[in-house]
Amino acid sequence: MTTTTRPSTRASEPAPRPPRRARGGTRATRVLRQSGVVAGLLVFAALTSFPVLVVVLGAFSPESEVLSWPPNFLPSRFTLDNFDGLAARIPIALQSWNSLVFAGVVTASALVLNSLAAYALARIEFRGRIAVFTVLIAIMMVPFQALLVPIYQMVSALGWVNTLAGLVIPRAADVAGIFLLRQFFITLPRDLDSAARIDGAGELRVFWSVILPNAKPALLTMALFHFVGNWNDLLWPLIMTSDSSVRPLTAGLALLTGSATGVAPYGVMMAGSLVAILPLVVLYLLVQRRFIEGVAMTGMKG
Amino acid sequence: MTSTAAGPAYRAPRRLGGGGRRPDNSRQIATRERSRTLRATAFLAPAVAVIVAFVFVPAIVALRLSFTDASGFGEASWIGLDNYATVFTDPATVRAIANTVLYAAMYGPLVIAVGLGAALLLNRRDVPLRGFFRTIIFLPFVISMAVASLAWAFLLDPNLGLIPYWLGGLGIRMGDVFASTTWALPAVTAVAIWKNFGYFMVIFLAGLQGIPRYLYEAAILDGAGAWRRFRAVTLPGLRATMTFVIVFAIIGAFQAFDQIYIMTQGGPDRATETIVYRIYTDGFRDFRMGFASALSYVLLAITLLLGLIQLRVGTKRERDLE
Amino acid sequence: MSTTPQRRRHGVLITAAVALTLAACSAGAGSGDDSDGGDGGTTAVTVWHGFTEADGDVVAQLAEDFNASQDDYEVTIEVNPWNVITDKLLPAISAGNGPDVVVQPADAGEGYVNQGVFVPMDDFYADPENETDTYYPHVVDYGTFDGTHYGVPMAYGPFSVWYNTEMFAAAGITQENLPTTWEEWIAVAEQLTVDENGDGTPEIYGLALADADASFLPSFIQAGGGSVYTDGEVTLDTPQNVETMQWWQDAYEGGWGPTNVDLPEAVDLFKAGKAAMTVIGPWIITGAESVGLDIDVFEMPAGPDGIVTQAAANYWWLTSQADEGATAGAEAFLRYYNSHDSQVLWAEQSFYPPNRTDVTADEIADTPFVGTMIAHTENAYIRLYGLPGGLTDVNAELSTLNTTVSQGGDLASATTETAAAITEILSRFE
């Protein structure tokens, strides 16, 4: 994004942080508190990662050991058979690409459309903005399952079934994303745009050069949610596509649950799960530092 | 402050005009206002077009269906409010509503508390391996519900699962939580919290970035302890975030579907049937699209009521902040 | 406030107009294709099914062979998970994006027939070239409603008892003394149950039978001489049926099997080597192979009123979307699919017994088990056949009753309650 506002952001940061010591307590209590925090995090981490670990280990286990009695945590040997089985059943590379395009395009368009709308709702004091906002929120509360058939009919009437357009356009903007961004935009100090306006900036300039750069964490958060949500979405791509060549990966993996009871190849399913998770973990690793420690929206109100 | 939902149209001009302006400014004010409305319209138009076409219009179609005996195929005839009457008399549907309320009461507060707790822990600067923890703790959110269900079903299977096996080694007998009419709903709720708290954690983390550090520093200088800093600085600083999070938790809770669809299919003995699960089975499996639509609008009414209460409280607070 | 509703109304109008225009265009394009078909091109026939393993591969191969065998029709197969087919069949057919032919189980058939989604296939059955007289009569009957033929047999998989050959050999049970009655069966199950530490939870179950989803309750009731539902009436609440269920409740006290398991869980126990027997269809052959388990099969033992087992019965159904050309193409493909040679291939590669009575065990002797299973088809009926709708809800009610059977409780009152609940559910479909 633009660098124009960077200096001003820095300039208005608060006085340098007081040295750590001032944050209270002796060295002993600090160590104690820190180990408490670490213990809490370890519990969290164990709870969250254990089931995922089971999937990862299962992906490399022989099928006969994925499901066995007594259950194994670690397989007796590691194997890539499940990945061969996966490749034999679904076109992984093609469907991964489809997933990337589907989730990527939805995310990109949602970033643009949602942030424009959120800006209007948060920063322009037009008549009835609360009414528009309220109606949008109300729409969000109609369960998706009730809308699925009418949406399908609409997409079908447009001739978009089994196409990227059908997958993407109905999701090009969404209330949840607008809502999320609005809640962040609204916390940005008013002085920001006033200053820019005094300098003669128009609405689009304020939006682009003042609000957006200061809302990077929120934008990244929304982008991450949209990407992950669409990458993992099941019902939507399954309903909107029938052709395995336009299907995203998660929808393709759904076929692995097997056509009949008792034939589900668990090892292959876990291998497929791993393939589907990996890009998201990598994405998160790339993004997390930025969006959590990114451009902090601090110190502007003082 | 004037009310939000009832008379928003009258609020804006008063604010914009600044109250007691001289009358000769009124035309100027009107022009400025019109220009604001125009600019806002331009900013809103693309997103609203998509939402109108693919959410609003389908919602109207569904509303119309709710007054018919539509099966999802062929002709349907108008039956007035019959579907709505059935919603409150059909025992299975009433049970689903009760289950949903119970689910929401467990899920909502817990997922927010866990998400906030994790965010507060991870927001500290003195945590070693922060990036590592952030990644690990966020993992459940990144994986799909299908994978999460597969993993948990494997771990908790009473006969073949690792957890009952290990507990058995310690002499603890563990039944099948997903097959127990008492424990299935809490178990499904727990998996949903496990899966989703990362979402709330991330929103809280981003929200925490918005709290000016000097406020904490001032509080420390005032001798405020950790709890007081949390009450006096963190929570007020998270107000706008909280509005979003609570509305979202309410919607998420009342629209619980995925984990039930994948893990329990509403069983055992309807113990985990939620409103949306019924909407789904009635609409898609049992040719009762009209009834499913009516049930959707009952759900909308419930969520709207709770959501708008929260939103009204929230936006009022936001305005007080400004 | 004044501008927004107006704009929204405009938006609706514009969207609707765009949708209608595009719909008109695509409809025009579609009919153009059809007329091309009439001029000697190929007519497309779209088929949906949910077979994903060996069975799906055979269907794909037969479709390919069929396409290569003639120039008039081109069959396109689209594989969707079964539940997704259910989800989108109605909207897709309403919109003309659905299949011309879809594979669905028999118990789903009547509901779709009543909705007008599935259309009659009397012409197909009337044509002697299609050799429909070689089909099993009771299998054909399940696809017939009010005397009109709808479904064409596609995959009829009888549920049989599959056992772990190693465990049977260790217990000294041979081909000669396999159980043939419920009493013998349960005795064998108790014999095979292993509880080394004596904690009441066996390490190895003799028989893993699904109870949490009421998979087998209707078959057991039928084998006891009764039924859950007959000719539009709920006939569950009879002393005879209570007696049958009482027999099973007493049998369950032998502790030979797990309770609160559904069908996939029961099969998983068997695959993991934690149960000596389970009841499932022929597709378990693929599953057992994948984990390297040696298995064999025998027919469901007889209840008081004879042998009754269920079948996973899938049929080809022609949908209301199919026009004249697609109907002709569908009929040609189904004739090809159910021809003698195709059925031999189907049996050999999918492990389902063939749909035709004239395929003999000798012809498929190279394929294990399937020859044996041909005989099981005779006594394999469809679970809860003829229900007008509400299958999900009826199953939920029966599951509760089934857990009373497996875990104890007063059966007479539970049966009365369940019967009343099912009557209530079915009253919606009168």
Side-chain angles (χ1 to χ4, degrees), chain B residues 237-268:
Chain B
L238 286 175
R239 250 174 211 156
T241 312
M242 213 44 119
T243 305
F244 174 85
V245 161
I246 293 176
V247 170
F248 239 78
I250 291 172
I251 294 175
F254 278 88
Q255 298 194 356
F257 173 76
D258 286 2
Q259 64 275 27
I260 289 147
Y261 175 67
I262 297 173
M263 298 185 83
T264 63
Q265 290 87 47

mmCIF file of all heavy atoms in Angstrom, chain B residues 237-268:
data_model
loop_
_atom_site.group_PDB
_atom_site.id
_atom_site.type_symbol
_atom_site.label_atom_id
_atom_site.label_comp_id
_atom_site.label_asym_id
_atom_site.label_seq_id
_atom_site.Cartn_x
_atom_site.Cartn_y
_atom_site.Cartn_z
ATOM 1 N N GLY B 237 -11.535 -0.448 25.422
ATOM 2 C CA GLY B 237 -10.839 -0.297 24.148
ATOM 3 C C GLY B 237 -11.330 -1.288 23.105
ATOM 4 O O GLY B 237 -11.160 -1.092 21.911
ATOM 5 N N LEU B 238 -11.931 -2.373 23.571
ATOM 6 C CA LEU B 238 -12.391 -3.408 22.646
ATOM 7 C C LEU B 238 -13.869 -3.270 22.308
ATOM 8 O O LEU B 238 -14.464 -4.192 21.764
ATOM 9 C CB LEU B 238 -12.145 -4.797 23.260
ATOM 10 C CG LEU B 238 -10.707 -5.299 23.298
ATOM 11 C CD1 LEU B 238 -10.622 -6.622 24.037
ATOM 12 C CD2 LEU B 238 -10.144 -5.460 21.895
ATOM 13 N N ARG B 239 -14.477 -2.108 22.645
ATOM 14 C CA ARG B 239 -15.927 -2.004 22.497
ATOM 15 C C ARG B 239 -16.423 -2.307 21.084
ATOM 16 O O ARG B 239 -17.311 -3.131 20.887
ATOM 17 C CB ARG B 239 -16.393 -0.605 22.899
ATOM 18 C CG ARG B 239 -17.160 -0.654 24.197
ATOM 19 C CD ARG B 239 -17.500 0.716 24.663
ATOM 20 N NE ARG B 239 -17.549 0.726 26.112
ATOM 21 C CZ ARG B 239 -17.379 1.819 26.852
ATOM 22 N NH1 ARG B 239 -17.109 2.968 26.256
ATOM 23 N NH2 ARG B 239 -17.455 1.737 28.149
ATOM 24 N N ALA B 240 -15.835 -1.638 20.099
ATOM 25 C CA ALA B 240 -16.301 -1.845 18.722
ATOM 26 C C ALA B 240 -16.056 -3.292 18.303
ATOM 27 O O ALA B 240 -16.890 -3.934 17.659
ATOM 28 C CB ALA B 240 -15.592 -0.894 17.768
ATOM 29 N N THR B 241 -14.906 -3.822 18.715
ATOM 30 C CA THR B 241 -14.595 -5.216 18.428
ATOM 31 C C THR B 241 -15.636 -6.117 19.067
ATOM 32 O O THR B 241 -16.122 -7.067 18.463
ATOM 33 C CB THR B 241 -13.207 -5.572 18.986
ATOM 34 O OG1 THR B 241 -12.296 -4.559 18.582
ATOM 35 C CG2 THR B 241 -12.751 -6.912 18.499
ATOM 36 N N MET B 242 -15.956 -5.805 20.319
ATOM 37 C CA MET B 242 -16.892 -6.629 21.070
ATOM 38 C C MET B 242 -18.267 -6.674 20.386
ATOM 39 O O MET B 242 -18.891 -7.725 20.332
ATOM 40 C CB MET B 242 -16.998 -6.046 22.478
ATOM 41 C CG MET B 242 -17.241 -7.044 23.585
ATOM 42 S SD MET B 242 -16.263 -8.552 23.534
ATOM 43 C CE MET B 242 -15.380 -8.477 25.056
ATOM 44 N N THR B 243 -18.708 -5.518 19.881
ATOM 45 C CA THR B 243 -20.004 -5.490 19.191
ATOM 46 C C THR B 243 -20.000 -6.503 18.058
ATOM 47 O O THR B 243 -20.899 -7.332 17.931
ATOM 48 C CB THR B 243 -20.259 -4.092 18.585
ATOM 49 O OG1 THR B 243 -20.138 -3.134 19.615
ATOM 50 C CG2 THR B 243 -21.637 -4.016 17.963
ATOM 51 N N PHE B 244 -18.948 -6.452 17.273
ATOM 52 C CA PHE B 244 -18.834 -7.378 16.152
ATOM 53 C C PHE B 244 -18.800 -8.817 16.644
ATOM 54 O O PHE B 244 -19.525 -9.689 16.154
ATOM 55 C CB PHE B 244 -17.562 -7.068 15.366
ATOM 56 C CG PHE B 244 -17.284 -8.059 14.285
ATOM 57 C CD1 PHE B 244 -17.882 -7.922 13.043
ATOM 58 C CD2 PHE B 244 -16.442 -9.127 14.507
ATOM 59 C CE1 PHE B 244 -17.646 -8.845 12.048
ATOM 60 C CE2 PHE B 244 -16.201 -10.059 13.508
ATOM 61 C CZ PHE B 244 -16.806 -9.910 12.281
ATOM 62 N N VAL B 245 -17.957 -9.054 17.637
ATOM 63 C CA VAL B 245 -17.742 -10.418 18.112
ATOM 64 C C VAL B 245 -19.039 -11.005 18.678
ATOM 65 O O VAL B 245 -19.390 -12.156 18.396
ATOM 66 C CB VAL B 245 -16.617 -10.413 19.168
ATOM 67 C CG1 VAL B 245 -16.667 -11.656 20.020
ATOM 68 C CG2 VAL B 245 -15.277 -10.279 18.484
ATOM 69 N N ILE B 246 -19.757 -10.203 19.451
ATOM 70 C CA ILE B 246 -20.971 -10.735 20.065
ATOM 71 C C ILE B 246 -22.039 -11.004 19.012
ATOM 72 O O ILE B 246 -22.655 -12.073 18.998
ATOM 73 C CB ILE B 246 -21.491 -9.783 21.168
ATOM 74 C CG1 ILE B 246 -20.494 -9.764 22.328
ATOM 75 C CG2 ILE B 246 -22.859 -10.228 21.655
ATOM 76 C CD1 ILE B 246 -20.833 -8.802 23.440
ATOM 77 N N VAL B 247 -22.226 -10.055 18.104
ATOM 78 C CA VAL B 247 -23.219 -10.283 17.049
ATOM 79 C C VAL B 247 -22.834 -11.531 16.250
ATOM 80 O O VAL B 247 -23.662 -12.377 15.921
ATOM 81 C CB VAL B 247 -23.328 -9.055 16.115
ATOM 82 C CG1 VAL B 247 -24.171 -9.383 14.889
ATOM 83 C CG2 VAL B 247 -23.941 -7.891 16.861
ATOM 84 N N PHE B 248 -21.556 -11.666 15.995
ATOM 85 C CA PHE B 248 -21.108 -12.806 15.225
ATOM 86 C C PHE B 248 -21.263 -14.114 15.965
ATOM 87 O O PHE B 248 -21.629 -15.128 15.389
ATOM 88 C CB PHE B 248 -19.654 -12.619 14.791
ATOM 89 C CG PHE B 248 -19.549 -12.666 13.329
ATOM 90 C CD1 PHE B 248 -19.919 -11.567 12.598
ATOM 91 C CD2 PHE B 248 -19.183 -13.823 12.678
ATOM 92 C CE1 PHE B 248 -19.909 -11.619 11.229
ATOM 93 C CE2 PHE B 248 -19.171 -13.880 11.308
ATOM 94 C CZ PHE B 248 -19.529 -12.781 10.582
ATOM 95 N N ALA B 249 -20.987 -14.079 17.262
ATOM 96 C CA ALA B 249 -21.140 -15.293 18.063
ATOM 97 C C ALA B 249 -22.609 -15.690 18.118
ATOM 98 O O ALA B 249 -22.946 -16.873 18.037
ATOM 99 C CB ALA B 249 -20.576 -15.074 19.462
ATOM 100 N N ILE B 250 -23.485 -14.701 18.214
ATOM 101 C CA ILE B 250 -24.921 -15.005 18.249
ATOM 102 C C ILE B 250 -25.346 -15.662 16.934
ATOM 103 O O ILE B 250 -25.987 -16.709 16.918
ATOM 104 C CB ILE B 250 -25.756 -13.715 18.488
ATOM 105 C CG1 ILE B 250 -25.538 -13.211 19.907
ATOM 106 C CG2 ILE B 250 -27.240 -13.979 18.240
ATOM 107 C CD1 ILE B 250 -26.164 -11.848 20.175
ATOM 108 N N ILE B 251 -24.926 -15.031 15.828
ATOM 109 C CA ILE B 251 -25.305 -15.593 14.531
ATOM 110 C C ILE B 251 -24.724 -16.995 14.362
ATOM 111 O O ILE B 251 -25.419 -17.938 13.996
ATOM 112 C CB ILE B 251 -24.842 -14.678 13.381
ATOM 113 C CG1 ILE B 251 -25.607 -13.355 13.454
ATOM 114 C CG2 ILE B 251 -25.064 -15.339 12.026
ATOM 115 C CD1 ILE B 251 -25.151 -12.336 12.444
ATOM 116 N N GLY B 252 -23.452 -17.128 14.698
ATOM 117 C CA GLY B 252 -22.794 -18.432 14.574
ATOM 118 C C GLY B 252 -23.488 -19.485 15.412
ATOM 119 O O GLY B 252 -23.690 -20.619 14.981
ATOM 120 N N ALA B 253 -23.873 -19.098 16.623
ATOM 121 C CA ALA B 253 -24.491 -20.046 17.534
ATOM 122 C C ALA B 253 -25.861 -20.474 17.022
ATOM 123 O O ALA B 253 -26.198 -21.655 17.024
ATOM 124 C CB ALA B 253 -24.616 -19.429 18.921
ATOM 125 N N PHE B 254 -26.628 -19.510 16.543
ATOM 126 C CA PHE B 254 -27.979 -19.857 16.122
ATOM 127 C C PHE B 254 -28.004 -20.504 14.748
ATOM 128 O O PHE B 254 -28.997 -21.089 14.354
ATOM 129 C CB PHE B 254 -28.890 -18.622 16.173
ATOM 130 C CG PHE B 254 -29.410 -18.373 17.561
ATOM 131 C CD1 PHE B 254 -28.688 -17.598 18.456
ATOM 132 C CD2 PHE B 254 -30.586 -18.964 17.991
ATOM 133 C CE1 PHE B 254 -29.145 -17.404 19.745
ATOM 134 C CE2 PHE B 254 -31.050 -18.776 19.273
ATOM 135 C CZ PHE B 254 -30.328 -17.988 20.162
ATOM 136 N N GLN B 255 -26.913 -20.397 14.016
ATOM 137 C CA GLN B 255 -26.881 -21.058 12.716
ATOM 138 C C GLN B 255 -26.032 -22.323 12.753
ATOM 139 O O GLN B 255 -25.590 -22.798 11.715
ATOM 140 C CB GLN B 255 -26.383 -20.083 11.642
ATOM 141 C CG GLN B 255 -27.320 -18.901 11.496
ATOM 142 C CD GLN B 255 -27.082 -18.094 10.241
ATOM 143 O OE1 GLN B 255 -26.169 -18.358 9.488
ATOM 144 N NE2 GLN B 255 -27.930 -17.094 10.024
ATOM 145 N N ALA B 256 -25.825 -22.890 13.928
ATOM 146 C CA ALA B 256 -24.998 -24.092 14.048
ATOM 147 C C ALA B 256 -25.481 -25.162 13.092
ATOM 148 O O ALA B 256 -26.657 -25.526 13.098
ATOM 149 C CB ALA B 256 -25.049 -24.611 15.475
ATOM 150 N N PHE B 257 -24.584 -25.635 12.263
ATOM 151 C CA PHE B 257 -24.979 -26.639 11.280
ATOM 152 C C PHE B 257 -23.843 -27.602 10.925
ATOM 153 O O PHE B 257 -23.986 -28.815 11.085
ATOM 154 C CB PHE B 257 -25.491 -25.958 10.008
ATOM 155 C CG PHE B 257 -25.772 -26.905 8.885
ATOM 156 C CD1 PHE B 257 -26.906 -27.692 8.892
ATOM 157 C CD2 PHE B 257 -24.884 -27.024 7.822
ATOM 158 C CE1 PHE B 257 -27.161 -28.592 7.874
ATOM 159 C CE2 PHE B 257 -25.136 -27.921 6.791
ATOM 160 C CZ PHE B 257 -26.272 -28.693 6.824
ATOM 161 N N ASP B 258 -22.717 -27.046 10.475
ATOM 162 C CA ASP B 258 -21.648 -27.871 9.907
ATOM 163 C C ASP B 258 -21.259 -29.059 10.772
ATOM 164 O O ASP B 258 -21.233 -30.193 10.316
ATOM 165 C CB ASP B 258 -20.389 -27.014 9.673
ATOM 166 C CG ASP B 258 -20.550 -26.101 8.484
ATOM 167 O OD1 ASP B 258 -21.643 -26.125 7.892
ATOM 168 O OD2 ASP B 258 -19.608 -25.362 8.170
ATOM 169 N N GLN B 259 -20.928 -28.756 12.045
ATOM 170 C CA GLN B 259 -20.413 -29.832 12.882
ATOM 171 C C GLN B 259 -21.490 -30.878 13.132
ATOM 172 O O GLN B 259 -21.204 -32.060 13.292
ATOM 173 C CB GLN B 259 -19.846 -29.274 14.196
ATOM 174 C CG GLN B 259 -20.846 -28.607 15.101
ATOM 175 C CD GLN B 259 -21.079 -27.148 14.735
ATOM 176 O OE1 GLN B 259 -20.909 -26.734 13.589
ATOM 177 N NE2 GLN B 259 -21.481 -26.361 15.700
ATOM 178 N N ILE B 260 -22.763 -30.454 13.133
ATOM 179 C CA ILE B 260 -23.847 -31.400 13.372
ATOM 180 C C ILE B 260 -24.089 -32.247 12.121
ATOM 181 O O ILE B 260 -24.242 -33.466 12.198
ATOM 182 C CB ILE B 260 -25.104 -30.632 13.801
ATOM 183 C CG1 ILE B 260 -24.859 -30.109 15.213
ATOM 184 C CG2 ILE B 260 -26.338 -31.502 13.744
ATOM 185 C CD1 ILE B 260 -25.501 -28.823 15.526
ATOM 186 N N TYR B 261 -24.060 -31.579 10.994
ATOM 187 C CA TYR B 261 -24.224 -32.261 9.711
ATOM 188 C C TYR B 261 -23.152 -33.332 9.538
ATOM 189 O O TYR B 261 -23.428 -34.450 9.119
ATOM 190 C CB TYR B 261 -24.122 -31.198 8.620
ATOM 191 C CG TYR B 261 -24.137 -31.666 7.195
ATOM 192 C CD1 TYR B 261 -25.263 -32.234 6.645
ATOM 193 C CD2 TYR B 261 -23.020 -31.485 6.383
ATOM 194 C CE1 TYR B 261 -25.288 -32.625 5.325
ATOM 195 C CE2 TYR B 261 -23.042 -31.863 5.065
ATOM 196 C CZ TYR B 261 -24.173 -32.438 4.530
ATOM 197 O OH TYR B 261 -24.188 -32.814 3.214
ATOM 198 N N ILE B 262 -21.919 -32.990 9.909
ATOM 199 C CA ILE B 262 -20.827 -33.923 9.671
ATOM 200 C C ILE B 262 -20.699 -34.954 10.796
ATOM 201 O O ILE B 262 -20.456 -36.120 10.545
ATOM 202 C CB ILE B 262 -19.495 -33.161 9.490
ATOM 203 C CG1 ILE B 262 -19.576 -32.272 8.245
ATOM 204 C CG2 ILE B 262 -18.333 -34.125 9.345
ATOM 205 C CD1 ILE B 262 -18.399 -31.353 8.063
ATOM 206 N N MET B 263 -20.879 -34.527 12.038
ATOM 207 C CA MET B 263 -20.551 -35.426 13.150
ATOM 208 C C MET B 263 -21.710 -36.273 13.656
ATOM 209 O O MET B 263 -21.530 -37.439 13.961
ATOM 210 C CB MET B 263 -19.958 -34.633 14.308
ATOM 211 C CG MET B 263 -18.669 -33.938 13.926
ATOM 212 S SD MET B 263 -17.887 -33.106 15.311
ATOM 213 C CE MET B 263 -17.030 -34.468 16.058
ATOM 214 N N THR B 264 -22.885 -35.702 13.835
ATOM 215 C CA THR B 264 -23.952 -36.471 14.504
ATOM 216 C C THR B 264 -25.227 -36.625 13.687
ATOM 217 O O THR B 264 -26.106 -37.391 14.065
ATOM 218 C CB THR B 264 -24.353 -35.797 15.826
ATOM 219 O OG1 THR B 264 -24.903 -34.502 15.532
ATOM 220 C CG2 THR B 264 -23.177 -35.642 16.759
ATOM 221 N N GLN B 265 -25.369 -35.898 12.604
ATOM 222 C CA GLN B 265 -26.616 -35.899 11.824
ATOM 223 C C GLN B 265 -27.844 -35.729 12.721
ATOM 224 O O GLN B 265 -28.873 -36.362 12.513
ATOM 225 C CB GLN B 265 -26.760 -37.183 10.994
ATOM 226 C CG GLN B 265 -25.788 -37.280 9.847
ATOM 227 C CD GLN B 265 -24.483 -37.888 10.296
ATOM 228 O OE1 GLN B 265 -24.477 -38.898 10.979
ATOM 229 N NE2 GLN B 265 -23.374 -37.271 9.962
ATOM 230 N N GLY B 266 -27.702 -34.901 13.738
ATOM 231 C CA GLY B 266 -28.848 -34.584 14.580
ATOM 232 C C GLY B 266 -29.073 -35.555 15.725
ATOM 233 O O GLY B 266 -29.805 -35.279 16.659
ATOM 234 N N GLY B 267 -28.447 -36.711 15.670
ATOM 235 C CA GLY B 267 -28.684 -37.737 16.678
ATOM 236 C C GLY B 267 -27.800 -37.562 17.881
ATOM 237 O O GLY B 267 -27.052 -36.593 17.950
ATOM 238 N N PRO B 268 -27.820 -38.418 18.847
ATOM 239 C CA PRO B 268 -28.772 -39.520 18.961
ATOM 240 C C PRO B 268 -30.133 -39.025 19.439
ATOM 241 O O PRO B 268 -30.186 -38.103 20.251
ATOM 242 C CB PRO B 268 -28.115 -40.393 20.041
ATOM 243 C CG PRO B 268 -27.310 -39.431 20.859
ATOM 244 C CD PRO B 268 -26.868 -38.346 19.938
#
